[in-house]
Amino acid sequence: MRPWLLLLALIITACDEEEPFEPEPETPTPAELDPCHVDDVPDAAAAQYGWQGDGTFVGFGGRRVIPAGPTATLTDMPVDVAVHPDGSTAYLALVSRGDSSIAVFDLDTLEVVQVHEMVNTHPGLEVAPSGDRLYAAGGARGTVEVIDIEADRTLGEVQSIHLEGTPSGLALSEDGQTLWVGSYYESSLFAVDLQTLEVQQILDIDSGAWDLVLVPGRNELY
């Protein structure tokens, strides 16, 4: 046999004896090993309810709130707010599971300086143009509370206007002489004379009033 034929036969035999090529198996991903595996979650998606380190607030459902200015945390839920004419103080109607109150809030220090206990609190707060009275809807109690505002802007003596309804939503006339009171369940609207604290007129409306707005200069109540 010629030498080059023998060499060719040896090469072919050697190739035939080699194991067939098999690619290296790929490393399985965590998802393939565990169908319940979740890849790294973005920080924004993992944020817990409450204030965040960047000054934003995450509410229920994951909604992120960016405050427009300085903020303060209250122990109860505010349902309405009215500001004193001099801009120094805000009055906040607060509700919780077992308590109702009006908080006197200093707008310079952003602190509550007084908590005025209420039997029932609904949306509906108005400060008299003179700044010496606060009117607060009493809701299921069937009253509007007339509360004296002291010289230091805290709340003092209380009188009650009794109505045949569930007061919710207040609006003052521009001259401060008439208080309009919405009634939620009874679908009524009361006009109260603030000199006598007596009801002067009752109007029936199509649905219960939750809030009222008087348009200045147009004598229109919504």
Side-chain angles (χ1 to χ4, degrees), residues 17-92:
E17 292 176 353
E18 288 183 359
E19 295 182 359
F21 173 77
E22 293 184 3
E24 291 291 331
E26 295 183 1
T27 303
T29 65
E32 291 172 334
L33 292 174
D34 179 6
C36 296
H37 173 79
V38 178
D39 290 330
D40 292 339
V41 178
D43 292 340
Q48 299 294 311
Y49 170 84
W51 289 104
Q52 308 300 303
D54 60 1
T56 62
F57 185 88
V58 173
F60 294 114
R63 290 182 173 85
R64 186 178 295 268
V65 178
I66 302 175
T71 61
T73 301
L74 303 170
T75 56
D76 295 323
M77 183 179 71
V79 295
D80 206 348
V81 59
V83 178
H84 193 276
D86 67 8
S88 67
T89 307
Y91 301 94
L92 308 174

Side-chain angles (χ1 to χ4, degrees), residues 50-154:
W51 289 104
Q52 308 300 303
D54 60 1
T56 62
F57 185 88
V58 173
F60 294 114
R63 290 182 173 85
R64 186 178 295 268
V65 178
I66 302 175
T71 61
T73 301
L74 303 170
T75 56
D76 295 323
M77 183 179 71
V79 295
D80 206 348
V81 59
V83 178
H84 193 276
D86 67 8
S88 67
T89 307
Y91 301 94
L92 308 174
L94 304 178
V95 296
S96 66
R97 288 184 180 275
D99 300 313
S100 296
S101 61
I102 296 175
V104 180
F105 191 76
D106 189 310
L107 292 175
D108 292 323
T109 64
L110 300 183
E111 294 180 351
V112 175
V113 298
Q114 182 191 16
V115 176
H116 180 87
E117 299 298 332
M118 294 277 288
V119 175
N120 199 283
T121 305
H122 259 52
L125 281 180
E126 289 285 343
V127 180
S130 57
D132 59 354
R133 274 182 173 180
L134 176 70
Y135 304 99
R141 194 182 181 200
T143 62
V144 172
E145 308 301 334
V146 183
I147 309 171
D148 291 339
I149 298 178
E150 308 292 351
D152 62 359
R153 305 299 178 253
T154 58

